[in-house]
């Protein structure tokens, strides 16, 4: 959906060049004893072993994302059938959204890698549309969503909503992809509403959904339609990675494609780091406007960063993990095809990038079951939409993490790729 | 990362030319000091002074870096990439960590949504497009619609407007039309496709809550009286002049009784910071407004309004050199093209007669972008790298460069320029660049005239456009529509459109043999 990725790697290239001039830290701290002794430890996995694990990890990650979206969708179905839902019912949906969002964010490390998530030639979730934009397009034109619901359009069929993507009578855009009517953010907007608070999230009342044959009814129908379809889209992506039937997986793992598959992963992860995770989503640190954050209705932006980092870490280590420190499954990661010295400080850099974004009950406004431990020392304890302001005492932490992800980590990642013969080039 | 890798980096396949850092090492004392400082820095505390800053100081006080060579069109920042991303990369010699560049890039690419939305809001109420890069695709050039047609969905070109025979008594600049301002905004928030308007520009579909009517729609056709340029050696080329028509929104008063207009395509982004770094004294030294040397080429400075400092200064950006700085150019484009208010232009672009525009302009607090955002975009536009020249050893290219000079194209398209000192930007300072422009206004004759004065520029005068990157426009943008309104199809037509002060050079081109014409074009394609 975005056009920001074309130049990422030349940026990385130059940052690597000059980063190497001005920064001289040694190898990563995780094997510091070996580092101090000047030892290297050879790669522990073949490229083929890693690619097999990557495919398995993708399947497992999208399976979990689909499962959590299904749980949300089932609850939305019940909610939709109730003409007078309560605040408790609404809170339940919000909590399920937060959980579904977390497991989706963990899949984002698979983006930009010429796979089924964002490559229309591989998979179209709807005719003519790559999947990612339908799931996660941003920014949201709230007027377009409101106008769609209130202006007499049918909200009972997904086809009618999909037909409106690119219909400029609803919104303000001339880019057909940019009338955002589907995916996590419209669902988030419906559940929370516009965030007009300087201290909290959007506060949509349950009464917004009240009634039979009313706008409230349409609001529920719209929510149901797009949430149901979210599950369908995730299932389509998951199927491409299915160990027994996944068409993309078969091509991806064909020994003849080993080099290309790895190259796409390096390019994709690097694009994601510099352009998306450490780039676009952290531009608010410069913009400093309160809603310049990725999940601005629910104010769960810290979780976006946390789980994005976890997703990158999963690919790096080969462990599938959602809750910190708990590995659901393990296997050879990208790091395992690199020697210790080639790995540099990447693992600790990813972990630092993740750990800054401590998420907890008060910040996610949800009983997020996956991560409820106390904040590690040095983490961002202020709300993201407060720390985004340069007047906030923790603003510097965001500036530093933007530099850590978008500059240091990327530089080291490009170097690691180069060390085993993959030149990261602009897409 | 080990420091001893430094000197090998950058010699990968992306840079087929000799590694610039090696060449510098061999040639110059300041650069030696620079490298040495980096080694010293590695052994010492990280809290020390920025070694690149020190290098810049040394460079500024002792010597100027030598011209790195013919291929390096943008000095040491030149990027050796020749594909669709050629205009879209940071300078190689970036002295910062790149975060501000990356941030500026993100805002340059940002798609804005209507005023009143929660995030990325501020678009409109009237506008031409929703992001910077919609017009500057791949940081490259915009173009009119192929074969002509409505400009509504060809956002790489817009129409400037102004009153006839009037200039602003304070600024000396053009005065906007009472009902439509200084440019035609084809779009308004809430209801943007002309397909959904009735003949009165009323929204016929379901208008959004912030509906603001657009100002009108322009279209172009190539039905003007054809111009035939003959070659002495035989053959000819037919040039098709564009004809523009505008449908004015009758709800805003309809067609003005008289007006000046000028179509302008979006120029490419690479090297803007280097153009800004050319000393005023250098530009002034080229100016010859009265043609005192009687070479037929005058060259005039456009003195334009600096909105920040409230005074007239030398203009250097835009097709008529009507913008003094990237700071003003960028924020002007945010306002004029996207409808985004900024620290410099903090009032929405709504003429007093546009009631709906005025009503809906309060949807997002002004200014809609912070000084930090404006500065990051400014930083970005300064440091996008110029692509390197290619095919330098091709004998036709070598011959073509000689011909370029012999028929005096280089009287305006200056082939070697030294930038001055830019505080805080060693990347831009003291760089030998090959921009192929003098940034001056020249009378280009009646065929190219738009008849719309812009500060000191008459209706026949245009700024010499830089030619660096010319040969890569096709790869980046998929077209080669040249001149201010994209009327020329390719380099040959562009040369043949030259008139006025360029009559002699153009005539010389027409007198060349076919072989020499092709050599000249091959040279231009190598830029």
């Amino acid at each position: 959906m975005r056009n920001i990725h074309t130049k990422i790697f030349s940026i990385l290239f130059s940052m690597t060049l000059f980063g190497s001039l001005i920064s001289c830290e040694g190898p990563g701290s995780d094997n510091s004893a070996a580092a101090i002794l000047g030892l290297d430890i050879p790669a522990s996995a073949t490229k083929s072993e890693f690619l097999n694990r990557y495919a398995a990890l993708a399947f497992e990650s999208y399976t979990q994302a689909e499962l959590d979206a299904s749980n949300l969708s089932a609850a939305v179905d019940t909610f939709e059938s109730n003409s007078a839902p309560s605040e408790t019912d609404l809170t339940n949906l919000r909590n399920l959204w937060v959980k579904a969002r977390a497991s989706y964010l963990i899949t984002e490390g698979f983006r930009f890698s010429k796979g089924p998530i964002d490559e229309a030639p591989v998979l179209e979730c709807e005719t003519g549309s790559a999947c990612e934009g339908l799931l996660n397009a941003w920014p949201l034109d709230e007027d377009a969503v409101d106008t769609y619901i209130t202006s007499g359009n049918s909200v009972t069929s997904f086809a009618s909503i999909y037909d409106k993507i690119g219909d400029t009578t609803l919104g303000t855009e001339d880019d057909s992809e940019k009338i955002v009517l589907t995916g996590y953010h419209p669902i988030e907007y419906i559940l929370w509403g516009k965030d007009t608070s300087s201290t909290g999230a959007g506060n949509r009342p349950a009464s917004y959904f009240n009634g039979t044959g009313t706008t409230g009814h349409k609001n529920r129908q719209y929510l149901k339609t797009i949430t149901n379809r979210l599950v369908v889209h995730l299932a389509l992506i998951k199927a491409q990675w299915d160990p027994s039937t996944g068409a993309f997986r078969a091509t991806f793992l064909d020994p003849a494609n080993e080099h290309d598959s790895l190259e796409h992963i390096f390019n994709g992860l690097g694009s994601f780091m510099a352009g998306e995770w450490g780039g676009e989503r952290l531009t608010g640190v410069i913009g400093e406007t309160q809603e310049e954050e990725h999940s601005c209705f629910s104010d769960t932006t810290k979780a976006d960063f946390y789980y994005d980092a976890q997703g990158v870490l999963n690919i790096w280590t080969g462990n599938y993990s959602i809750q910190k420190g708990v590995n659901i499954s393990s296997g050879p990661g990208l790091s395992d095809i690199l020697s210790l010295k080639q790995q540099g400080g990447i693992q600790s850099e990813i972990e630092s990038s993740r750990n800054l974004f401590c998420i907890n009950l008060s910040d996610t406004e949800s009983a997020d079951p996956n991560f409820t431990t106390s904040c590690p020392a040095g983490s961002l304890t202020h709300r993201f939409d407060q720390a985004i302001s340069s007047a906030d005492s923790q603003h510097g932490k965001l500036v530093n993490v933007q530099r850590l992800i978008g500059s240091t980590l990327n530089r080291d990642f490009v170097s690691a790729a180069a060390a085993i013969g993959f030149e990261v080039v602009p897409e | 990362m080990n420091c001893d890798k430094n000197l090998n980096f950058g010699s990968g396949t992306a840079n087929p030319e000799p590694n610039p850092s090696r060449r510098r090492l061999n040639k110059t004392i300041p650069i030696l000091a620079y490298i040495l400082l980096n080694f010293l820095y590695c052994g010492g505390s990280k809290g020390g002074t920025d070694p690149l800053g020190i290098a810049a100081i040394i460079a500024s006080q002792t010597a100027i870096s030598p011209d790195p060579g013919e291929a390096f069109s943008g000095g040491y920042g030149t990027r050796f990439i020749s594909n669709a991303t050629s205009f879209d990369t940071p300078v190689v010699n970036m002295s910062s960590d790149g975060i501000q560049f990356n941030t500026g890039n993100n805002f340059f690419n940002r798609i804005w949504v209507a005023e009143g939305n929660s995030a990325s809001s501020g678009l409109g109420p009237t506008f031409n497009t929703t992001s910077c890069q919609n017009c500057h695709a791949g940081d490259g050039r915009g173009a009119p619609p192929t074969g002509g047609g409505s400009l509504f969905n060809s956002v790489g070109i817009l129409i400037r407007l102004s009153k006839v025979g009037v200039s602003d008594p304070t600024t000396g600049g053009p005065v906007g039309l009472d009902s439509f301002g200084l440019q035609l905004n084809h779009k308004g928030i809430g209801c943007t496709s002309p397909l959904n308007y009735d003949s009165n520009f009323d929204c016929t579909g379901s208008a959004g809550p912030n509906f603001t009517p657009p100002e009108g729609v322009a279209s172009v056709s190539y039905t003007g009286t054809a111009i035939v340029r003959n070659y002495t050696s035989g053959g000819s080329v037919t040039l098709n002049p564009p004809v523009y028509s505008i449908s004015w929104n009758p709800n805003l008063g309809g067609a003005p009784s008289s007006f000046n207009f000028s179509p302008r395509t979006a120029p490419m982004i690479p090297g803007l910071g280097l153009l800004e770094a050319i000393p005023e004294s250098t530009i002034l030294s080229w100016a010859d407004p009265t043609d005192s040397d009687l070479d037929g080429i005058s060259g005039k400075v456009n003195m334009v309004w600096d909105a920040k400092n409230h005074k007239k200064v030398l203009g250097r950006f835009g097709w008529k050199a009507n913008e003094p700085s990237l700071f003003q150019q960028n924020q002007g484009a945010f306002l004029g093209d996207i409808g985004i208010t900024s620290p410099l232009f903090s009032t929405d672009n709504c003429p007093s007669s546009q009631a709906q525009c005025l009503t809906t302009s309060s949807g997002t607090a002004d200014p809609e972008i912070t000084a930090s955002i404006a500065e990051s975009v400014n930083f970005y536009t300064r440091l996008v790298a110029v692509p390197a020249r290619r095919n330098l050893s091709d004998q036709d290219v070598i011959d073509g460069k000689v011909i370029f000079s012999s028929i005096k194209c280089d009287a305006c398209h200056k082939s070697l320029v030294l930038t001055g000192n830019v505080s805080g930007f060693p990347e831009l300072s003291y760089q030998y660049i090959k921009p192929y422009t003098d940034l001056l206004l020249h009378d280009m004759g009646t065929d190219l005239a738009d008849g719309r004065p812009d500060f000191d520029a008459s209706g026949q005068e245009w700024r010499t456009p830089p030619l660096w990157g010319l040969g890569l426009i096709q790869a980046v943008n998929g077209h080669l529509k040249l001149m201010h309104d994209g009327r020329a199809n390719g380099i040959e037509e562009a040369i043949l459109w030259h008139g006025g002060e360029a009559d002699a050079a153009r005539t010389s081109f027409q007198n060349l043999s076919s072989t020499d014409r092709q050599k000249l074009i091959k040279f231009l394609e190598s830029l």
Side-chain angles (χ1 to χ4, degrees), chain B residues 22-102:
Chain B
R22 282 187 194 147
R23 294 170 60 148
R24 276 179 284 173
L25 183 64
N26 293 337
K27 286 183 178 174
T28 72
I29 289 169
I31 296 304
L32 267 174
Y34 161 98
I35 298 291
L36 184 61
L37 276 162
N38 277 290
F39 278 110
L40 291 174
Y41 182 66
C42 291
S45 155
K46 288 197 170 189
T49 309
D50 172 8
L52 295 162
I54 294 171
I57 291 166
I58 291 172
S60 67
Q61 293 182 346
T62 58
I64 289 167
S65 298
D67 180 358
E70 184 80 358
F72 292 73
S73 297
Y76 283 107
T78 303
R79 177 73 65 174
F80 284 81
I81 294 180
S82 50
N83 58 30
T85 66
S86 294
F87 298 161
D88 210 8
T89 61
V91 291
V92 170
N93 58 349
M94 178 95 78
S95 67
S96 71
D97 62 14
I99 290 298
Q100 197 170 13
F101 183 91
N102 205 12

Side-chain angles (χ1 to χ4, degrees), chain B residues 123-441:
Chain B
L123 176 70
T126 58
F127 59 102
N128 289 85
T129 191
T130 56
S131 79
C132 301
Q133 82 143 17
N134 282 357
C135 295
H136 305 275
D139 281 8
R141 270 190 69 115
T146 303
S150 168
L151 304 191
F152 182 83
N153 284 320
S154 289
V155 294
I157 180 170
L158 57 77
I159 305 286
R160 290 245 186 279
L161 302 169
S162 57
K163 287 186 178 178
V164 177
V166 186
S167 61
D168 186 293
T170 303
T171 68
V175 177
L177 302 181
D178 291 339
S179 299
F180 302 97
L182 279 163
Q183 79 186 52
L184 186 68
N185 289 127
H186 286 191
K187 300 173 184 179
I189 61 174
C191 177
T192 57
S193 170
L195 299 175
N196 298 309
Y197 299 128
D198 61 21
S199 57
N200 289 325
F201 285 85
D202 281 331
C203 210
T204 56
S206 47
N210 293 327
F211 169 58
T212 301
E215 294 177 334
V217 178
S219 61
V220 60
S221 65
Y222 294 92
T223 54
T225 306
I227 298 166
V228 178
R229 302 288 198 203
N230 294 310
Y231 290 124
T232 306
S233 63
S236 65
V237 172
T238 300
L239 305 175
N240 295 305
V243 176
Y244 290 86
S245 62
I246 301 175
S247 298
W248 304 89
N249 186 337
N251 294 332
L252 301 175
S257 55
S258 68
F259 61 94
N260 287 329
F261 76 98
S262 180
R264 311 270 180 97
T265 55
M268 51 202 258
I269 303 300
L272 294 178
L274 291 166
L275 294 179
E276 194 167 48
I278 297 174
E280 276 195 20
S281 56
T282 303
I283 299 170
L284 292 168
S285 74
W286 292 323
D288 181 17
T290 57
D291 191 19
S292 55
D293 62 3
L294 301 174
D295 67 350
I297 311 289
S298 58
K300 183 173 113 183
V301 167
N302 197 0
M303 293 299 286
V304 304
W305 186 246
D306 181 330
K308 183 182 178 188
N309 298 309
H310 303 283
K311 61 178 185 181
K312 295 194 82 168
V313 299
L314 181 146
R316 64 175 84 205
F317 297 111
W319 290 105
K320 294 223 180 203
N322 61 334
E323 291 287 1
S325 63
L326 289 173
F327 182 81
Q328 183 165 323
Q329 165 71 46
N330 292 340
Q331 291 179 62
F334 263 116
L335 183 69
D337 304 349
I338 313 180
I340 300 275
T341 54
S342 61
L344 188 61
F345 298 114
S346 58
T347 304
D348 271 291
N349 184 18
C350 297
S352 58
S353 61
Q354 291 189 24
Q356 194 63 37
C357 184
L358 289 164
T359 302
T360 55
S361 65
S362 59
T364 300
D366 296 315
E368 289 152 344
I369 59 169
T370 61
S372 299
I373 293 177
E375 191 44 53
S376 72
V377 174
N378 205 40
F379 185 94
Y380 174 75
T381 55
R382 287 176 113 169
L383 294 183
V384 175
V386 175
R389 280 188 63 197
R390 301 152 313 287
N391 305 321
L392 291 179
S393 55
D394 184 320
Q395 190 59 46
D396 286 353
V397 170
I398 294 167
D399 295 347
K401 187 174 181 187
V402 174
I403 295 165
F404 183 82
S405 170
S406 71
I407 65 171
K408 297 195 167 44
C409 302
D410 62 354
C412 305
H413 293 284
K414 301 292 185 190
S415 59
L416 181 64
V417 181
L418 177 62
T419 64
N421 185 43
V422 183
S423 178
F425 286 88
E427 307 92 332
L428 304 173
S429 300
Y430 304 117
Q431 299 293 307
Y432 280 98
I433 61 174
K434 294 87 183 173
Y436 292 90
T437 177
D438 59 4
L439 299 179
L440 293 172
L441 297 173

Side-chain angles (χ1 to χ4, degrees), chain A residues 213-226:
Chain A
T214 60
T215 301
H217 187 200
K218 285 185 175 180
N219 293 334
R220 299 200 307 276
Q221 286 183 311
Y222 181 81
L223 177 66
K224 176 181 173 178
T225 302
I226 61 173

